[in-house]
Amino acid sequence: MDPRPARSNGGPPSWLVRVVAVAAGSLLLAGCGGGGGGGEGSGGSGAEGYPDREIAFIVPFAAGGPTDTVTRLVAEPMSAKLGQQIVVRNVEGAGGTVAAGEVANADGDGYTVLMHHIGMSTAPALYPNLAYKPLEDFKTVGLVTTVPMTIVARKDFEPNTLQELVTYVKANADKVSYANAGIGAASQLCGLLIEKEMGVDLTEVPYDGTGPALTDLVGGQVDFMCDQTTNTTGQIKADKVKAYAVTTPERVEALPDLPTTAEAGLEGVEIGVWHGVYVPAETPDDVVAKITDALAAALTDQAVVAKLAELGAPPAPAADVTPEAHRQKLQEQIDLWAPIIKESGVTAGG
Ligand code: MLT
């Protein structure tokens, strides 16, 4: 389990919530534009014969959760394209930073690959002693998808609408439990927006991933959470959870009856969870290019596209499935979140 967030007194002013909302909204709306940014240009050649053995694809959260789902979806066609087995491995802990630290220190030979999400850009601000630097210790391979989030609750939780949830949480803030996947997780960021928008301080229950968190939500052990559609769509459709809203400016095709947070009266809670693939910084560029090609092939695979659509998560456009576009996105997002997080007072400690 991860440490609870340490908070400064109170929370950020309401302008901050707006900034976060606008910034997070841009995650969904803005493409990376392709090109620009550029990598470190360390070049190097190592692609001859690559890959000639199995590749480890590291997931920074628990099995069965949204990051795991996206990784396993693309891993199969990537494996077919590369002609080698890809073994997905879950390295949980500290909101995804344990896995990222492991990959940052792995051999830069293309046999250790990381899937990570928006948390790659927020961790430097959240973790004062972070053991890696996202822009220096990794090469970006390409963007994968941007996933909407949903606010969901245990089936027998009293509030039936988002407005009722706001009223209930305000009246029972000390009793209501909010599940997340630790500091740096998308579910924690979304919770931050919810707290600020509602003006409450929730009791957070951190897990190693929202896979196990959602299991506990369905089992009634926690009250509510904000999680990616790649994890919640099935449970919402099966009527196993109560769903209040989706955190996108527009409704999501996979869940057409679910109002947006703005429609439901909580417009400050708008966020999309972008994902990208990384390798250690020393990985030769021609090896990175082979992994990028495999990722691009996976994201146009009809079965992958159909499954992502079913889960409310569109594949990244081809122009964004490049190291350059991904690096630019990462840089922009680090710059975007650093002041927001600093202002929020949330930190994983010294
Ligand atoms: C997961 O895979 O468990 C999630 O991405 C965790 C999160 O970021 O909320």
Side-chain angles (χ1 to χ4, degrees):
M1 290 219 171
D2 300 312
R4 293 280 312 279
R7 292 175 187 284
S8 60
N9 55 338
S14 58
W15 66 263
L16 176 60
V17 175
R18 294 289 153 205
V19 172
V20 173
V22 170
S26 73
L27 302 178
L28 282 164
L29 295 170
C32 289
E40 295 294 303
S42 61
S45 175
E48 203 181 324
Y50 173 84
D52 62 4
R53 59 188 163 88
E54 116 187 347
I55 298 165
F57 207 164
I58 309 298
V59 175
F61 295 100
T67 318
D68 187 69
T69 296
V70 168
T71 307
R72 287 176 199 274
L73 255 182
V74 297
E76 201 178 309
M78 284 179 74
S79 166
K81 176 83 178 171
L82 290 166
Q84 269 298 336
Q85 204 186 350
I86 295 181
V87 178
V88 174
R89 188 156 62 85
N90 301 83
V91 180
E92 304 97 340
T97 60
V98 172
E102 182 178 313
V103 175
N105 287 313
D107 290 338
D109 53 12
Y111 293 96
T112 307
V113 177
L114 173 72
M115 176 73 77
H116 209 333
H117 63 26
I118 191 169
M120 190 63 126
S121 61
T122 57
L126 288 166
Y127 287 82
N129 294 328
L130 196 64
Y132 56 87
K133 292 189 170 67
L135 287 162
E136 290 173 29
D137 295 335
F138 297 93
K139 271 186 182 163
T140 49
V141 172
L143 291 165
V144 179
T145 180
T146 297
V147 188
M149 302 191 83
T150 48
I151 302 176
V152 293
R154 60 180 164 81
K155 196 76 183 93
D156 55 355
F157 196 40
E158 201 170 297
N160 286 316
T161 65
L162 195 58
Q163 277 311 311
E164 286 180 22
L165 178 72
V166 173
T167 307
Y168 187 88
V169 168
K170 279 184 169 164
N172 301 281
D174 54 333
K175 286 197 289 223
V176 173
S177 56
Y178 176 83
N180 69 22
I183 297 177
S187 44
Q188 179 255 332
L189 268 185
C190 186
L192 191 66
L193 298 182
I194 290 171
E195 284 184 316
K196 300 304 172 276
E197 188 76 349
M198 290 188 185
V200 294
D201 195 2
L202 293 168
T203 302
E204 295 173 21
V205 184
Y207 290 80
D208 281 339
T210 50
L214 188 62
T215 301
D216 270 9
L217 190 85
V218 171
Q221 275 89 48
V222 283
D223 293 327
F224 84 111
M225 65 192 287
C226 178
D227 194 19
Q228 297 163 66
T229 55
T230 36
N231 204 32
T232 58
T233 300
Q235 300 289 12
I236 293 170
K237 286 188 163 164
D239 205 25
K240 291 278 181 0
V241 295
K242 197 172 271 188
Y244 298 118
V246 62
T247 66
T248 40
E250 307 292 335
R251 289 192 182 202
V252 169
E253 223 176 291
L255 296 164
D257 298 333
L258 199 58
T260 66
T261 40
E263 285 173 336
L266 212 61
E267 65 271 10
V269 182
E270 200 173 285
I271 185 168
V273 186
W274 63 274
H275 292 61
V277 173
Y278 301 82
V279 288
E282 297 74 26
T283 311
D285 286 343
D286 51 2
V287 169
V288 176
K290 282 197 169 182
I291 305 171
T292 300
D293 280 354
L295 178 63
L299 292 173
T300 53
D301 179 285
Q302 282 319 297
V304 171
V305 172
K307 188 66 189 170
L308 284 173
E310 192 185 311
L311 297 175
D320 291 351
V321 192
T322 67
E324 295 78 19
H326 181 183
R327 187 179 167 83
Q328 187 178 332
K329 177 84 168 181
L330 179 62
Q331 176 76 73
E332 286 168 3
Q333 290 284 301
I334 290 171
D335 294 346
L336 180 75
W337 285 105
I340 294 168
I341 290 166
K342 190 168 177 219
E343 184 69 24
S344 78
V346 175
T347 169

